[in-house]
Amino acid sequence: MLFCILLEIRPPHFLAPADQLSDSDRSGSCSSQKMADNWILTVTARTPTNIAVIKYWGKRDEKLILPVNDSISVTLDPDHLCTTTTVAVSPSFDKDRIWLNGEEISLSSGRFQSCLREIRARAGDVEDETKGIKISKKDWEKLHVHIASYNNFPTAAGLASSAAGLACLVYSLAKLMNVNEDNSRLSSIARQGSGSACRSLYGGFVKWIMGKEEKGGDSIAVQIADEKHWDDLVIIIAVVSSRQKETSSTSGMRDTVETSLLLQHRAKEVVPRRIIKMEEAIKNRDFESFAQLTCADSNQFHAVCLDTYPPIFYMNDTSHRIISIVEKWNRSKGIPQVAYTFDAGPNAVLIARNREVAADLLQRLLFYFPPNSDTNLNSYLLGDKSILKDIGVEEAKDIEGLPAPPELKATQKYRGDVSYFICTRPGSGPTLLSDESHALLDPATGLPK
């Protein structure tokens, strides 16, 4: 855990949580020095984003964020897509504050307040007898926190940035306040900030159980399999647009629940059967079933959006072209090579059955969606760049020499229609960062660096 305490020894009053942590949590760095009459305690963590293969869309309770159906997701490698969050507490802070990607935003939102309230209610005593500092459970209600969060991928563009952000907020605050809850219970708190956030509390393949209780105590996330269970999979994300979407997920879901008859049929009849089949496909590493279910559920999710009044359009022409490329390739092979899924945005998440297929997929995508002439190759493919060598691309000019896919007669190119690609894989869940260079808040001031 990364934390820093700066203090003047005073009568036992507040205390840092060093001796309340497990050996793994104590692996971070700690230092102390004189600083007026105050100390600052910080924790830094990172949490991955996730992509649903059986979608969550629609709430039966807006305040508690209780879904109308179960969902299943794949957690993405946090080395490539994650939120990093630093949380700090000090008697010198006069109010709760938050900065997102370097810009201060309001903490008045109900989703932030729900998470803060729930974590504070579960906070534990923190004590360090050697330093004579003590934070009792009741003290957490009087102390204010500073929060700094950074996404290494586009915010509000359909890549589940809020899921990673709220999960990381809950996870880091829980470590700071010595909350004695497992990730499953923490997921029920993260859910109240952003529904999909509950699934980012685990790595690998995760199921969000909708639950039946009125207050949502049984609406939690559970892990189906960890990231090592199916490590053949390679995921390529085509970032079609990093602009903020026109219709937010929150307002879109509300309109869908109120107006779509298709959603009612989907939630009651279709998704329960798909959930069972998807769990079996994941456990058996059955890619054919996995791909068919993933594509079908993505298509139905967007059909539900179109069935909403007024209709919601998250995909665009480039999204549709990518679907066509994948479908024609899969049909030419006889069995699925790639699964596609689109969340509430135009960006394509493409899951290849193995590395060889992923290389063939990237070659096709680069052929049809080459970068603009002034684009740097390093900024056009993020994540695992080694896959470029598999297709013989070392410089941007090499893309122009890629052969046309044999199964398609059309050779029209759509230069610049994809902003960039990310090559990643299923990844692990939240982790604490012990390297001081990762902290987003200055340990001496509690303000952004």
Side-chain angles (χ1 to χ4, degrees):
M1 171 182 286
L2 170 63
F3 60 85
C4 208
I5 306 173
L6 298 97
L7 63 134
E8 178 176 300
I9 300 300
R10 305 175 68 187
H13 182 63
F14 293 109
L15 117 113
D19 63 343
Q20 296 291 316
L21 304 177
S22 67
D23 289 342
S24 61
D25 288 346
R26 270 201 301 266
S27 62
S29 58
C30 173
S31 63
S32 61
Q33 66 182 59
K34 298 282 185 179
M35 177 185 172
D37 295 324
N38 302 314
W39 50 262
I40 298 176
L41 178 69
T42 68
V43 169
T44 298
R46 75 172 185 178
T47 301
T49 188
N50 70 82
I51 294 296
V53 291
I54 301 294
K55 304 295 187 186
Y56 145 59
W57 192 254
K59 306 180 183 78
R60 67 182 191 272
D61 187 304
E62 291 258 344
K63 183 177 181 180
L64 295 175
I65 309 187
L66 300 176
V68 297
N69 59 261
D70 294 348
S71 58
I72 293 177
S73 64
V74 181
T75 299
L76 304 183
D77 191 334
D79 285 343
H80 305 145
L81 293 104
C82 73
T83 295
T84 299
T85 298
T86 299
V87 293
V89 63
S90 172
S92 67
F93 299 163
D94 58 3
K95 63 179 180 178
D96 296 333
R97 302 175 69 184
I98 184 170
W99 293 264
L100 175 60
N101 294 331
E103 179 180 351
E104 186 166 11
I105 61 174
S106 172
L107 256 175
S108 61
S109 167
R111 63 179 186 167
F112 290 128
Q113 292 302 318
S114 293
C115 293
L116 283 167
R117 182 179 63 253
E118 294 293 332
I119 290 292
R120 280 183 168 126
R122 292 165 173 77
D125 294 338
V126 181
E127 185 171 0
D128 188 337
E129 295 179 355
T130 62
K131 294 182 173 63
I133 307 167
K134 182 176 182 179
I135 302 176
S136 68
K137 179 177 176 65
K138 62 181 180 180
D139 288 327
W140 287 109
E141 293 295 333
K142 297 177 287 186
L143 288 166
H144 294 290
V145 295
H146 285 184
I147 304 159
S149 189
Y150 173 76
N151 296 324
N152 69 348
F153 57 97
T155 300
L159 287 175
S161 59
S162 62
L166 270 297
C168 202
L169 173 67
V170 168
Y171 183 80
S172 55
L173 285 174
K175 296 301 181 182
L176 178 73
M177 298 185 187
N178 192 27
V179 173
N180 186 25
E181 300 274 6
D182 62 20
N183 281 3
S184 183
R185 300 315 308 172
L186 290 180
S187 75
S188 69
I189 300 174
R191 184 203 75 232
Q192 297 177 53
S194 171
S196 301
C198 71
R199 299 189 306 245
S200 280
L201 268 297
Y202 289 100
F205 302 84
V206 185
K207 177 181 178 181
W208 175 10
I209 302 170
M210 63 178 287
K212 297 180 179 179
E213 295 178 9
E214 184 177 347
K215 294 185 178 180
D218 58 345
S219 184
I220 59 175
V222 295
Q223 188 180 62
I224 298 172
D226 67 22
E227 66 276 11
K228 297 178 181 178
H229 169 72
W230 203 352
D231 56 5
D232 289 343
L233 300 180
V234 178
I235 301 166
I236 294 178
I237 301 171
V239 180
V240 175
S241 172
S242 58
R243 294 193 302 268
Q244 186 164 337
K245 54 201 176 193
E246 293 181 8
T247 304
S248 71
S249 297
T250 299
S251 62
M253 286 189 203
R254 185 181 302 118
D255 290 344
T256 300
V257 169
E258 292 175 354
T259 64
S260 175
L261 293 177
L262 179 56
L263 178 69
Q264 297 177 29
H265 173 68
R266 166 179 165 76
K268 292 179 182 179
E269 303 294 336
V270 179
V271 171
R273 292 194 294 268
R274 282 182 179 164
I275 288 288
I276 294 171
K277 292 178 180 178
M278 181 60 83
E279 287 191 78
E280 291 176 352
I282 291 170
K283 290 175 181 177
N284 297 327
R285 291 182 290 184
D286 175 0
F287 187 81
E288 183 173 355
S289 297
F290 174 85
Q292 290 171 344
L293 290 164
T294 298
C295 297
D297 204 72
S298 177
N299 292 339
Q300 189 179 68
F301 157 54
H302 288 277
V304 164
C305 291
L306 291 175
D307 191 49
T308 301
Y309 183 81
I312 307 169
F313 304 94
Y314 284 126
M315 294 195 293
N316 60 21
D317 287 346
T318 302
S319 310
H320 298 147
R321 290 188 184 104
I322 292 172
I323 290 176
S324 178
I325 290 169
V326 172
E327 287 286 5
K328 289 177 181 178
W329 185 25
N330 283 343
R331 285 200 301 272
S332 73
K333 291 293 185 179
I335 59 172
Q337 304 297 301
V338 174
Y340 59 79
T341 187
F342 294 77
D343 276 354
N347 304 313
V349 179
L350 307 168
I351 306 173
R353 64 191 308 148
N354 55 43
R355 171 83 177 208
E356 181 181 356
V357 170
D360 287 346
L361 170 64
L362 182 61
Q363 180 171 309
R364 284 167 167 77
L365 293 171
L366 291 178
F367 175 85
Y368 283 108
F369 305 104
N372 290 319
S373 57
D374 59 346
T375 301
N376 186 304
L377 186 59
N378 286 330
S379 62
Y380 197 58
L381 181 70
L382 307 180
D384 182 7
K385 298 177 184 295
S386 66
I387 196 170
L388 288 172
K389 294 182 179 179
D390 296 352
I391 58 176
V393 173
E394 296 183 1
E395 301 177 14
K397 63 181 180 63
D398 296 334
I399 295 175
E400 299 302 324
L402 292 174
E407 72 276 3
L408 296 177
K409 296 179 181 179
T411 58
Q412 182 178 354
K413 298 189 178 186
Y414 303 91
R415 189 177 302 278
D417 281 7
V418 172
S419 300
Y420 58 92
F421 296 97
I422 305 170
C423 183
T424 186
R425 63 185 70 85
S428 59
T431 56
L432 292 166
L433 300 179
S434 59
D435 185 352
E436 197 167 290
S437 64
H438 289 98
L440 303 176
L441 295 173
D442 186 335
T445 65
L447 298 174
K449 289 183 174 180

